[in-house]
């Protein structure tokens, strides 16, 4: 991933894995060898609409309290995945927890279930798996056990970092953002790989309305995931400058 980022002329690479920072030491070492500025971030999956993710930047990734809460979040994920697998088995599909666990060393999510279904030949791709089994109202679905948005914000702030909403199209009700700002939300991912120019204008206006930093992210998930086209996203110099100024204030 670091090599791909370097080749793509990424200036600063934040590793924002879902509910885990275990990959950061390796990424940091690779970044130093490649001459790339690699930083540790986080993407916390919340229970809000089962789709709102909170990004954290500038945090103390070694904080014992922070690591303990992430471990708790991952354990909740595992419980959910086990229940999803049970639902799928009850439907007669030959899948077990080990099939899903083989896809990830640490953090498990519905995409890993989708990949297991694909490897079994039950579906052709992740999207089909979600559409048939893994979204709300479908037979494999189990409600999210993640933290609230407010809990995610508090955890990142307690670790010395600041927060941004990832891929804000998942929020749906923009009125909710005002309440999250009161709880410490500071950013909105205006620049995102799938955003059109009109999306950027719309989300920039939303960020300005709430006094939020505009942030950018590629949402790169790795080869074969469907989110592997571009590692890096262009942001205007002034947006980059404001982000780095805020980052410099972190512990």
């Amino acid at each position: 991933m670091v090599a791909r980022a370097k080749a793509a002329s990424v200036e600063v690479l934040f590793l924002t894995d879902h509910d885990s920072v275990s990959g950061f030491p390796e990424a940091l070492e690779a970044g130093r060898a490649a001459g790339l500025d690699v930083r540790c971030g986080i993407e916390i999956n919340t229970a809000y609409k089962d789709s709102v993710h909170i990004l954290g930047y500038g945090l103390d990734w070694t904080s014992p309290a922070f690591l303990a809460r992430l471990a708790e979040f991952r354990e909740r994920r595992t419980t959910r995945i086990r229940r999803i697998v049970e639902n799928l088995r009850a439907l007669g599909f030959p899948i077990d927890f080990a099939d899903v666990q083989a896809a990830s060393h640490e953090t498990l999510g519905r995409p890993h279930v989708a990949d297991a279904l694909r490897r079994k030949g039950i579906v052709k791709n992740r999207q089909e798996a979600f559409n048939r089994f893994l979204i709300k109202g479908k037979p494999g679905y189990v409600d999210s056990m993640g933290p609230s948005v407010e809990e995610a914000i508090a955890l990142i702030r307690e670790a010395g970092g600041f927060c941004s909403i990832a891929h804000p199209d998942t929020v749906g009700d923009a009125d909710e953002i005002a309440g999250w700002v009161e709880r410490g939300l500071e950013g909105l991912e205006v620049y995102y790989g799938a955003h059109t120019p009109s999306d950027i204008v719309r989300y920039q206006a939303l960020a300005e309305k709430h006094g939020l930093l505009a942030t950018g992210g590629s949402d790169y998930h790795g080869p074969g995931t469907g989110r592997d086209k571009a590692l890096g996203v262009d942001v205007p110099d002034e947006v980059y400058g404001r982000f780095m100024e805020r980052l410099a204030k972190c512990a």
Side-chain angles (χ1 to χ4, degrees):
M1 184 184 66
V2 169
R4 289 182 178 216
K6 183 72 173 179
S9 300
V10 170
E11 292 188 27
V12 180
L13 175 66
F14 272 89
L15 182 65
T16 55
D17 278 338
H18 290 261
D19 299 333
S20 173
V21 295
S22 65
F24 179 63
E26 183 179 356
L28 179 61
E29 182 179 351
R32 287 171 175 165
L36 179 64
D37 186 358
V38 178
R39 311 286 185 103
C40 187
I42 192 69
E43 184 169 355
I44 296 178
N45 289 36
T46 76
Y48 184 80
K49 295 187 177 180
D50 202 12
S51 60
V52 173
H53 300 166
I54 301 298
L55 294 162
Y57 301 102
L59 46 81
D60 176 9
W61 66 278
T62 66
S63 163
F66 176 70
L67 295 174
R69 287 303 304 281
L70 291 186
E72 177 192 337
F73 296 164
R74 293 194 300 274
E75 186 59 34
R76 294 188 205 175
R77 278 173 164 269
T78 298
T79 298
R80 183 191 190 192
I81 296 306
R82 287 185 182 277
R83 293 179 183 177
I84 289 174
V85 169
E86 289 171 4
N87 288 348
L88 293 171
R89 287 179 63 82
L91 293 170
F93 294 111
I95 182 174
D96 56 40
F97 181 70
D99 295 323
V100 180
Q101 195 174 35
S104 176
H105 295 297
E106 190 163 276
T107 302
L108 293 176
R110 287 179 296 165
H112 300 117
V113 179
D115 288 344
L117 290 170
R118 176 179 53 79
R119 290 193 300 271
K120 293 279 187 177
I122 298 168
V123 298
K124 294 180 180 179
N125 51 50
R126 280 186 174 184
Q127 194 59 56
E128 182 186 349
F130 272 81
N131 292 343
R132 287 177 59 188
F133 305 114
L134 302 177
I135 58 176
K136 196 171 185 66
K138 298 301 180 179
Y141 182 80
V142 172
D143 285 335
S144 171
M145 299 178 184
S148 67
V149 171
E150 293 81 1
E151 286 177 310
I153 292 170
L155 177 60
I156 291 166
R157 286 169 59 85
E158 288 163 6
F162 64 100
C163 308
S164 180
I165 297 176
H167 32 75
D169 62 302
T170 57
V171 174
D173 185 0
D175 292 337
E176 290 282 358
I177 293 177
W180 298 337
V181 171
E182 291 179 359
R183 300 300 292 269
L185 179 71
E186 295 185 48
L188 188 74
E189 197 171 57
V190 173
Y191 298 89
Y192 176 67
H195 283 177
T196 64
S198 61
D199 289 332
I200 292 172
V201 170
R202 178 160 51 94
Y203 289 123
Q204 181 63 54
L206 185 61
E208 291 174 357
K209 174 183 176 180
H210 293 287
L212 296 171
L213 282 172
T215 65
S218 63
D219 204 17
Y220 182 84
H221 278 212
T225 63
R227 296 182 185 176
D228 57 356
K229 298 298 185 292
L231 209 166
V233 62
D234 289 327
V235 301
D237 289 344
E238 61 272 19
V239 170
Y240 177 76
R242 285 194 291 269
F243 179 88
M244 296 305 288
E245 285 176 7
R246 176 62 184 91
L247 187 65
K249 296 177 182 178
C250 294

